[in-house]
Amino acid sequence: MMTLTTTSRSTVRDFAESVALGLSDTPRWLPSRFLYDARGSALFERICQLPEYYLTRTEADILRRVAPRLRELTGAVTLVELGSGSSVKTDTLLAAYARNGDPVRYVPVDVSASILRVAAERIEETFPSVNVAGVHGEYEHVFPLLSAYAPTMLLFLGSTVGNLNHAESVPFWRRVSAALPAGSWMLLGVDLVKDPAVLEAAYNDAQGVTAAFTRNFFARMNRELGSRIDLDAVEHVARWNAEWQRIEIGGRFRSRQMVDVLPLGRRFEVEPGEQIMTEISRKFVLPSLRSYLECFGLETVHAATDDRRWFAVLLLRKGETDGDLA
Ligand code: AVI
């Protein structure tokens, strides 16, 4: 039976304040963590199945291939997964760590309590020797718990790290580094720089699921903040920015809108043609990523990629020090 710890502080006020901050900036942006309400999470699960969205499938193939080797390298560990979602991608790892009925503790961390419950039920049925201790909340809430779970392997899969911009990335890695005891492990899944046509197709799928995912941000603003945005006026845009090595995703407005943020009593005017960024998805080059992670005391012990070198899974080990930047 799963235990569930709730640390979530996500409130309408938090949403309203974050939206108002982004709409007050130039150029305007919206905080991507609010993409994942119940509807957004369901749409993201559909994105992962799309033919154009190679990330999930490619990472799963790599994990299937390397899971037994990872088990050998790390020995028995508590698996703590940031942004676990449905946890389907974790099955191959759980199978390797719970082989021969070895007891394993799995700590999925997610902002959706319902998705955690469904995932726990499925895992406990599939892997009887796995004990699931879910944490409902944002990533940072699990960091203080990591030393209590030692020895640990922190899982951050699906290239979710690519959704952090350069400013968010440094405090994130500092916190990870400070929270991981020396000798702990981390498994990081990252999408790699490749042909822009492949990248842009992954975020502009033919069925329009990614467009619905973007539009849901504005629909959520209407539902929760009384924003009264004309959703038909929002066009999904996803483009490769070669200089910043990232896909930039957002909504472009076909007509002028007065956007209300009722909980704060604020109103913002959006011009026709204006684009509001909802998300970035950074893509990585392995040598520079390895060097960046070393600055936080994280050494790459093993790097596995697919035949096309589209995606990579890195096994990192926390050294004796937190690194120069931590
Ligand atoms: C969750 N994250 C890794 C996805 C990505 O590819 O950046 C989010 C996403 N947004 C649109 N499609 C997928």
Side-chain angles (χ1 to χ4, degrees):
M1 189 61 185
M2 171 180 83
T3 58
L4 184 67
T5 310
T6 293
T7 60
S8 182
R9 60 177 170 82
S10 176
T11 59
V12 169
R13 179 104 202 152
D14 179 25
F15 184 33
E17 284 171 355
S18 307
V19 164
L21 180 68
L23 292 183
S24 305
D25 210 349
T26 311
R28 286 176 164 149
W29 54 274
L30 290 164
S32 62
R33 69 181 198 278
F34 293 101
L35 282 162
Y36 299 90
D37 63 350
R39 181 158 162 69
S41 298
L43 284 166
F44 181 64
E45 292 295 320
R46 280 181 59 200
I47 287 175
C48 293
Q49 319 278 333
L50 291 168
E52 298 93 335
Y53 197 75
Y54 59 86
L55 287 79
T56 315
R57 267 187 309 279
T58 311
E59 182 180 58
D61 288 346
I62 298 171
L63 288 174
R64 210 168 293 124
R65 207 181 67 233
V66 300
R69 176 81 184 118
L70 295 174
R71 169 74 179 78
E72 273 170 31
L73 287 166
T74 67
V77 282
T78 300
L79 301 169
V80 181
E81 182 169 15
L82 303 180
S84 50
S86 65
S87 295
V88 172
K89 58 186 177 301
T90 325
D91 275 14
T92 40
L93 286 174
L94 291 173
Y97 280 81
R99 52 135 210 229
N100 310 324
D102 289 351
V104 175
R105 181 161 47 185
Y106 173 54
V107 184
V109 184
D110 205 278
V111 287
S112 164
S114 55
I115 212 161
L116 280 171
R117 279 200 194 88
V118 173
E121 231 165 75
R122 189 185 54 76
I123 289 164
E124 289 182 332
E125 211 176 292
T126 319
F127 306 103
S129 69
V130 175
N131 171 263
V132 184
V135 175
H136 172 217
E138 289 169 17
Y139 307 150
E140 58 265 31
H141 297 124
V142 82
F143 293 157
L145 308 175
L146 283 180
S147 52
Y149 292 135
T152 322
M153 179 159 75
L154 188 62
L155 312 177
F156 200 28
L157 301 173
S159 204
T160 305
V161 70
N163 298 130
L164 302 177
N165 63 33
H166 289 267
E168 293 162 332
S169 176
V170 172
F172 171 79
W173 285 110
R174 272 200 178 124
R175 266 183 243 142
V176 168
S177 175
L180 282 177
S184 305
W185 302 92
M186 180 161 183
L187 196 65
L188 180 69
V190 286
D191 196 17
L192 302 177
V193 169
K194 60 182 68 61
D195 179 353
V198 175
L199 289 167
E200 288 193 348
Y203 295 87
N204 289 289
D205 65 279
Q207 292 172 51
V209 184
T210 313
F213 181 66
T214 299
R215 209 167 283 121
N216 181 56
F217 197 113
F218 300 99
R220 181 176 183 182
M221 286 171 63
N222 286 350
R223 284 192 296 270
E224 297 182 21
L225 308 179
S227 295
R228 296 186 303 131
I229 297 166
D230 172 8
L231 298 179
D232 290 335
V234 181
E235 185 191 347
H236 162 81
V237 180
R239 257 203 231 102
W240 174 240
N241 180 329
E243 191 186 350
W244 287 85
Q245 301 200 322
R246 65 190 197 183
I247 293 278
E248 295 173 347
I249 308 164
R252 184 167 42 221
F253 284 77
R254 293 193 181 98
S255 58
R256 182 171 167 268
Q257 305 280 317
M258 300 305 292
V259 177
D260 285 317
V261 181
L262 290 185
L264 305 181
R266 297 194 60 180
R267 175 172 282 186
F268 298 87
E269 185 175 343
V270 177
E271 296 295 333
E274 193 173 337
Q275 205 167 302
I276 301 183
M277 203 191 286
T278 49
E279 217 186 350
I280 58 148
S281 192
R282 291 172 62 197
K283 308 300 167 189
F284 299 90
V285 174
L286 277 182
S288 48
L289 177 62
R290 288 169 76 141
S291 158
Y292 181 86
L293 294 170
E294 266 169 36
C295 299
F296 299 92
L298 295 163
E299 186 206 343
T300 303
V301 173
H302 188 72
T305 60
D306 54 294
D307 292 345
R308 297 181 293 196
R309 299 185 70 79
W310 279 9
F311 201 94
V313 173
L314 306 184
L315 178 65
L316 311 173
R317 185 147 208 216
K318 174 67 196 300
E320 290 304 320
T321 68
D322 287 353
D324 303 337
L325 269 176

mmCIF file with all atom_site columns, all heavy atoms in Angstrom, residues 149-163:
data_model
loop_
_atom_site.group_PDB
_atom_site.id
_atom_site.type_symbol
_atom_site.label_atom_id
_atom_site.label_alt_id
_atom_site.label_comp_id
_atom_site.label_asym_id
_atom_site.label_entity_id
_atom_site.label_seq_id
_atom_site.pdbx_PDB_ins_code
_atom_site.Cartn_x
_atom_site.Cartn_y
_atom_site.Cartn_z
_atom_site.occupancy
_atom_site.B_iso_or_equiv
_atom_site.pdbx_formal_charge
_atom_site.auth_seq_id
_atom_site.auth_comp_id
_atom_site.auth_asym_id
_atom_site.auth_atom_id
_atom_site.pdbx_PDB_model_num
ATOM 1   N N   . TYR A 1 149 ? 16.964 8.586  2.614   1.00 0.00 ? 149 TYR A N   1
ATOM 2   C CA  . TYR A 1 149 ? 16.730 7.427  1.729   1.00 0.00 ? 149 TYR A CA  1
ATOM 3   C C   . TYR A 1 149 ? 18.030 6.749  1.293   1.00 0.00 ? 149 TYR A C   1
ATOM 4   O O   . TYR A 1 149 ? 18.001 5.783  0.550   1.00 0.00 ? 149 TYR A O   1
ATOM 5   C CB  . TYR A 1 149 ? 15.989 7.871  0.466   1.00 0.00 ? 149 TYR A CB  1
ATOM 6   C CG  . TYR A 1 149 ? 14.569 8.330  0.658   1.00 0.00 ? 149 TYR A CG  1
ATOM 7   C CD1 . TYR A 1 149 ? 14.103 9.492  0.037   1.00 0.00 ? 149 TYR A CD1 1
ATOM 8   C CD2 . TYR A 1 149 ? 13.673 7.594  1.420   1.00 0.00 ? 149 TYR A CD2 1
ATOM 9   C CE1 . TYR A 1 149 ? 12.791 9.912  0.190   1.00 0.00 ? 149 TYR A CE1 1
ATOM 10  C CE2 . TYR A 1 149 ? 12.356 8.011  1.566   1.00 0.00 ? 149 TYR A CE2 1
ATOM 11  C CZ  . TYR A 1 149 ? 11.931 9.173  0.959   1.00 0.00 ? 149 TYR A CZ  1
ATOM 12  O OH  . TYR A 1 149 ? 10.642 9.579  1.094   1.00 0.00 ? 149 TYR A OH  1
ATOM 13  N N   . ALA A 1 150 ? 19.189 7.274  1.690   1.00 0.00 ? 150 ALA A N   1
ATOM 14  C CA  . ALA A 1 150 ? 20.483 6.782  1.171   1.00 0.00 ? 150 ALA A CA  1
ATOM 15  C C   . ALA A 1 150 ? 20.651 5.274  1.421   1.00 0.00 ? 150 ALA A C   1
ATOM 16  O O   . ALA A 1 150 ? 20.175 4.793  2.449   1.00 0.00 ? 150 ALA A O   1
ATOM 17  C CB  . ALA A 1 150 ? 21.619 7.553  1.824   1.00 0.00 ? 150 ALA A CB  1
ATOM 18  N N   . PRO A 1 151 ? 21.328 4.547  0.529   1.00 0.00 ? 151 PRO A N   1
ATOM 19  C CA  . PRO A 1 151 ? 21.876 5.006  -0.748  1.00 0.00 ? 151 PRO A CA  1
ATOM 20  C C   . PRO A 1 151 ? 20.759 5.254  -1.765  1.00 0.00 ? 151 PRO A C   1
ATOM 21  O O   . PRO A 1 151 ? 19.801 4.499  -1.845  1.00 0.00 ? 151 PRO A O   1
ATOM 22  C CB  . PRO A 1 151 ? 22.775 3.843  -1.182  1.00 0.00 ? 151 PRO A CB  1
ATOM 23  C CG  . PRO A 1 151 ? 22.188 2.629  -0.521  1.00 0.00 ? 151 PRO A CG  1
ATOM 24  C CD  . PRO A 1 151 ? 21.562 3.101  0.751   1.00 0.00 ? 151 PRO A CD  1
ATOM 25  N N   . THR A 1 152 ? 20.945 6.318  -2.529  1.00 0.00 ? 152 THR A N   1
ATOM 26  C CA  . THR A 1 152 ? 19.882 6.798  -3.419  1.00 0.00 ? 152 THR A CA  1
ATOM 27  C C   . THR A 1 152 ? 20.345 6.870  -4.860  1.00 0.00 ? 152 THR A C   1
ATOM 28  O O   . THR A 1 152 ? 21.508 7.162  -5.126  1.00 0.00 ? 152 THR A O   1
ATOM 29  C CB  . THR A 1 152 ? 19.531 8.266  -3.054  1.00 0.00 ? 152 THR A CB  1
ATOM 30  O OG1 . THR A 1 152 ? 19.578 8.420  -1.671  1.00 0.00 ? 152 THR A OG1 1
ATOM 31  C CG2 . THR A 1 152 ? 18.193 8.686  -3.591  1.00 0.00 ? 152 THR A CG2 1
ATOM 32  N N   . MET A 1 153 ? 19.384 6.673  -5.773  1.00 0.00 ? 153 MET A N   1
ATOM 33  C CA  . MET A 1 153 ? 19.606 7.105  -7.158  1.00 0.00 ? 153 MET A CA  1
ATOM 34  C C   . MET A 1 153 ? 18.430 8.022  -7.510  1.00 0.00 ? 153 MET A C   1
ATOM 35  O O   . MET A 1 153 ? 17.276 7.600  -7.485  1.00 0.00 ? 153 MET A O   1
ATOM 36  C CB  . MET A 1 153 ? 19.679 5.946  -8.140  1.00 0.00 ? 153 MET A CB  1
ATOM 37  C CG  . MET A 1 153 ? 19.878 6.455  -9.562  1.00 0.00 ? 153 MET A CG  1
ATOM 38  S SD  . MET A 1 153 ? 20.567 5.237  -10.700 1.00 0.00 ? 153 MET A SD  1
ATOM 39  C CE  . MET A 1 153 ? 19.161 4.198  -10.995 1.00 0.00 ? 153 MET A CE  1
ATOM 40  N N   . LEU A 1 154 ? 18.763 9.274  -7.786  1.00 0.00 ? 154 LEU A N   1
ATOM 41  C CA  . LEU A 1 154 ? 17.755 10.265 -8.155  1.00 0.00 ? 154 LEU A CA  1
ATOM 42  C C   . LEU A 1 154 ? 17.513 10.142 -9.657  1.00 0.00 ? 154 LEU A C   1
ATOM 43  O O   . LEU A 1 154 ? 18.461 10.202 -10.441 1.00 0.00 ? 154 LEU A O   1
ATOM 44  C CB  . LEU A 1 154 ? 18.293 11.653 -7.792  1.00 0.00 ? 154 LEU A CB  1
ATOM 45  C CG  . LEU A 1 154 ? 17.349 12.837 -7.920  1.00 0.00 ? 154 LEU A CG  1
ATOM 46  C CD1 . LEU A 1 154 ? 16.147 12.690 -6.985  1.00 0.00 ? 154 LEU A CD1 1
ATOM 47  C CD2 . LEU A 1 154 ? 18.097 14.135 -7.575  1.00 0.00 ? 154 LEU A CD2 1
ATOM 48  N N   . LEU A 1 155 ? 16.266 9.954  -10.060 1.00 0.00 ? 155 LEU A N   1
ATOM 49  C CA  . LEU A 1 155 ? 15.946 9.819  -11.481 1.00 0.00 ? 155 LEU A CA  1
ATOM 50  C C   . LEU A 1 155 ? 15.337 11.120 -11.986 1.00 0.00 ? 155 LEU A C   1
ATOM 51  O O   . LEU A 1 155 ? 14.393 11.633 -11.384 1.00 0.00 ? 155 LEU A O   1
ATOM 52  C CB  . LEU A 1 155 ? 14.917 8.707  -11.710 1.00 0.00 ? 155 LEU A CB  1
ATOM 53  C CG  . LEU A 1 155 ? 15.152 7.355  -11.040 1.00 0.00 ? 155 LEU A CG  1
ATOM 54  C CD1 . LEU A 1 155 ? 13.994 6.408  -11.327 1.00 0.00 ? 155 LEU A CD1 1
ATOM 55  C CD2 . LEU A 1 155 ? 16.451 6.754  -11.550 1.00 0.00 ? 155 LEU A CD2 1
ATOM 56  N N   . PHE A 1 156 ? 15.894 11.643 -13.076 1.00 0.00 ? 156 PHE A N   1
ATOM 57  C CA  . PHE A 1 156 ? 15.306 12.829 -13.700 1.00 0.00 ? 156 PHE A CA  1
ATOM 58  C C   . PHE A 1 156 ? 15.301 12.543 -15.199 1.00 0.00 ? 156 PHE A C   1
ATOM 59  O O   . PHE A 1 156 ? 16.269 12.816 -15.908 1.00 0.00 ? 156 PHE A O   1
ATOM 60  C CB  . PHE A 1 156 ? 16.117 14.073 -13.344 1.00 0.00 ? 156 PHE A CB  1
ATOM 61  C CG  . PHE A 1 156 ? 15.345 15.366 -13.538 1.00 0.00 ? 156 PHE A CG  1
ATOM 62  C CD1 . PHE A 1 156 ? 13.962 15.416 -13.427 1.00 0.00 ? 156 PHE A CD1 1
ATOM 63  C CD2 . PHE A 1 156 ? 16.014 16.550 -13.810 1.00 0.00 ? 156 PHE A CD2 1
ATOM 64  C CE1 . PHE A 1 156 ? 13.263 16.607 -13.590 1.00 0.00 ? 156 PHE A CE1 1
ATOM 65  C CE2 . PHE A 1 156 ? 15.324 17.750 -13.973 1.00 0.00 ? 156 PHE A CE2 1
ATOM 66  C CZ  . PHE A 1 156 ? 13.950 17.773 -13.866 1.00 0.00 ? 156 PHE A CZ  1
ATOM 67  N N   . LEU A 1 157 ? 14.203 11.962 -15.647 1.00 0.00 ? 157 LEU A N   1
ATOM 68  C CA  . LEU A 1 157 ? 14.157 11.389 -16.996 1.00 0.00 ? 157 LEU A CA  1
ATOM 69  C C   . LEU A 1 157 ? 13.338 12.273 -17.942 1.00 0.00 ? 157 LEU A C   1
ATOM 70  O O   . LEU A 1 157 ? 12.807 13.306 -17.554 1.00 0.00 ? 157 LEU A O   1
ATOM 71  C CB  . LEU A 1 157 ? 13.566 9.970  -16.916 1.00 0.00 ? 157 LEU A CB  1
ATOM 72  C CG  . LEU A 1 157 ? 14.363 8.996  -16.020 1.00 0.00 ? 157 LEU A CG  1
ATOM 73  C CD1 . LEU A 1 157 ? 13.620 7.674  -15.849 1.00 0.00 ? 157 LEU A CD1 1
ATOM 74  C CD2 . LEU A 1 157 ? 15.751 8.757  -16.597 1.00 0.00 ? 157 LEU A CD2 1
ATOM 75  N N   . GLY A 1 158 ? 13.247 11.813 -19.200 1.00 0.00 ? 158 GLY A N   1
ATOM 76  C CA  . GLY A 1 158 ? 12.350 12.463 -20.159 1.00 0.00 ? 158 GLY A CA  1
ATOM 77  C C   . GLY A 1 158 ? 12.836 13.811 -20.667 1.00 0.00 ? 158 GLY A C   1
ATOM 78  O O   . GLY A 1 158 ? 12.096 14.528 -21.318 1.00 0.00 ? 158 GLY A O   1
ATOM 79  N N   . SER A 1 159 ? 14.081 14.185 -20.350 1.00 0.00 ? 159 SER A N   1
ATOM 80  C CA  . SER A 1 159 ? 14.647 15.496 -20.712 1.00 0.00 ? 159 SER A CA  1
ATOM 81  C C   . SER A 1 159 ? 13.857 16.651 -20.100 1.00 0.00 ? 159 SER A C   1
ATOM 82  O O   . SER A 1 159 ? 13.852 17.764 -20.627 1.00 0.00 ? 159 SER A O   1
ATOM 83  C CB  . SER A 1 159 ? 14.752 15.669 -22.242 1.00 0.00 ? 159 SER A CB  1
ATOM 84  O OG  . SER A 1 159 ? 15.747 16.627 -22.544 1.00 0.00 ? 159 SER A OG  1
ATOM 85  N N   . THR A 1 160 ? 13.224 16.388 -18.952 1.00 0.00 ? 160 THR A N   1
ATOM 86  C CA  . THR A 1 160 ? 12.511 17.460 -18.251 1.00 0.00 ? 160 THR A CA  1
ATOM 87  C C   . THR A 1 160 ? 13.473 18.564 -17.830 1.00 0.00 ? 160 THR A C   1
ATOM 88  O O   . THR A 1 160 ? 13.089 19.731 -17.718 1.00 0.00 ? 160 THR A O   1
ATOM 89  C CB  . THR A 1 160 ? 11.765 16.873 -17.030 1.00 0.00 ? 160 THR A CB  1
ATOM 90  O OG1 . THR A 1 160 ? 10.925 15.824 -17.522 1.00 0.00 ? 160 THR A OG1 1
ATOM 91  C CG2 . THR A 1 160 ? 10.905 17.902 -16.330 1.00 0.00 ? 160 THR A CG2 1
ATOM 92  N N   . VAL A 1 161 ? 14.746 18.215 -17.629 1.00 0.00 ? 161 VAL A N   1
ATOM 93  C CA  . VAL A 1 161 ? 15.744 19.242 -17.273 1.00 0.00 ? 161 VAL A CA  1
ATOM 94  C C   . VAL A 1 161 ? 15.818 20.323 -18.362 1.00 0.00 ? 161 VAL A C   1
ATOM 95  O O   . VAL A 1 161 ? 16.156 21.468 -18.087 1.00 0.00 ? 161 VAL A O   1
ATOM 96  C CB  . VAL A 1 161 ? 17.128 18.586 -17.022 1.00 0.00 ? 161 VAL A CB  1
ATOM 97  C CG1 . VAL A 1 161 ? 17.764 18.061 -18.294 1.00 0.00 ? 161 VAL A CG1 1
ATOM 98  C CG2 . VAL A 1 161 ? 18.048 19.539 -16.294 1.00 0.00 ? 161 VAL A CG2 1
ATOM 99  N N   . GLY A 1 162 ? 15.451 19.963 -19.595 1.00 0.00 ? 162 GLY A N   1
ATOM 100 C CA  . GLY A 1 162 ? 15.463 20.914 -20.708 1.00 0.00 ? 162 GLY A CA  1
ATOM 101 C C   . GLY A 1 162 ? 14.402 21.990 -20.585 1.00 0.00 ? 162 GLY A C   1
ATOM 102 O O   . GLY A 1 162 ? 14.444 22.996 -21.290 1.00 0.00 ? 162 GLY A O   1
ATOM 103 N N   . ASN A 1 163 ? 13.442 21.797 -19.695 1.00 0.00 ? 163 ASN A N   1
ATOM 104 C CA  . ASN A 1 163 ? 12.403 22.816 -19.510 1.00 0.00 ? 163 ASN A CA  1
ATOM 105 C C   . ASN A 1 163 ? 12.831 23.917 -18.533 1.00 0.00 ? 163 ASN A C   1
ATOM 106 O O   . ASN A 1 163 ? 12.093 24.876 -18.309 1.00 0.00 ? 163 ASN A O   1
ATOM 107 C CB  . ASN A 1 163 ? 11.082 22.184 -19.054 1.00 0.00 ? 163 ASN A CB  1
ATOM 108 C CG  . ASN A 1 163 ? 10.508 21.196 -20.071 1.00 0.00 ? 163 ASN A CG  1
ATOM 109 O OD1 . ASN A 1 163 ? 10.158 20.076 -19.726 1.00 0.00 ? 163 ASN A OD1 1
ATOM 110 N ND2 . ASN A 1 163 ? 10.444 21.586 -21.331 1.00 0.00 ? 163 ASN A ND2 1
#
